[in-house]
Amino acid sequence: MQEHATRTTTPTTPATPLWRGLEYGPAAVVLVPRPVRGLSDLPESWQSLAQRFQVAWCVVPDGVESLHRVEDVVETLADRNSHTQVVAHASLADVAARVVAEFGETVQGLILVGAGELPEPGGVRVRRVVDVEEPDLADEFVVAAIERALRTGVRAGRVSVGLPAARLSGAVGGAPLRVRHSASPAGLG
């Protein structure tokens, strides 16, 4: 009689962080709540950013419980004296705010991707890109908005960079990407 082994498959979280890009220089610490479906590497849409930044792609599936992984990444960047910006999915705003608060001397800015409350980590500029409920950080239009926000990283103030929801959903085929910048109500822009 032959016994049949039952195999169960559980989704695995890729090794995180996933380091790509420059060895030294400006850095983007990317916080995503789940792996990009079907990918075990940096999404193709991020390749151009990896040519200009150190990119640390961090899957943080359990929010604050995974904070130590992100702290290790930022500590490494602090040792390299890297100009660092955190790019976080809106669902991880709390994790991003804690990282910014703890590493205020290393982290120069926070780019929040998606709808939700903007955290108020002191001393660091907070920007929002793509004001939609469930943004896809691998989407080429989302990445283009993130890239613009990263390039404005040296300016003071609070900036909101918006991407029309219709463009993200594909409802406006071929329409040009529109970006809106607005100063914060506190006059920091």
Side-chain angles (χ1 to χ4, degrees), residues 33-49:
R34 60 195 156 278
V36 175
R37 176 176 252 156
L39 288 182
S40 60
D41 201 355
L42 192 65
E44 183 67 31
S45 54
W46 280 80
Q47 297 305 319
S48 67
L49 282 169

Side-chain angles (χ1 to χ4, degrees), residues 125-157:
R125 192 177 70 251
V126 178
R127 292 157 287 162
R128 174 187 311 286
V129 298
V130 191
D131 196 4
V132 297
E133 288 300 318
E134 280 301 318
D136 176 1
L137 271 72
D139 180 272
E140 65 183 87
F141 298 106
V142 173
V143 176
I146 292 168
E147 185 171 3
R148 281 188 293 280
L150 286 169
R151 277 189 269 147
T152 63
V154 294
R155 298 184 190 147

Side-chain angles (χ1 to χ4, degrees), residues 55-105:
V55 177
W57 186 271
C58 303
V59 177
V60 187
D62 49 3
V64 177
E65 300 300 318
S66 299
L67 188 59
H68 66 280
R69 287 189 236 162
V70 179
E71 290 171 336
D72 290 346
V73 167
V74 180
E75 285 173 2
T76 299
L77 294 168
D79 290 344
R80 296 177 183 175
N81 293 318
S82 297
H83 174 91
T84 302
Q85 296 186 65
V86 174
V87 177
H89 187 280
S91 66
L92 297 172
D94 290 344
V95 173
R98 287 183 182 208
V99 169
V100 169
E102 184 176 344
F103 296 97
E105 295 204 10

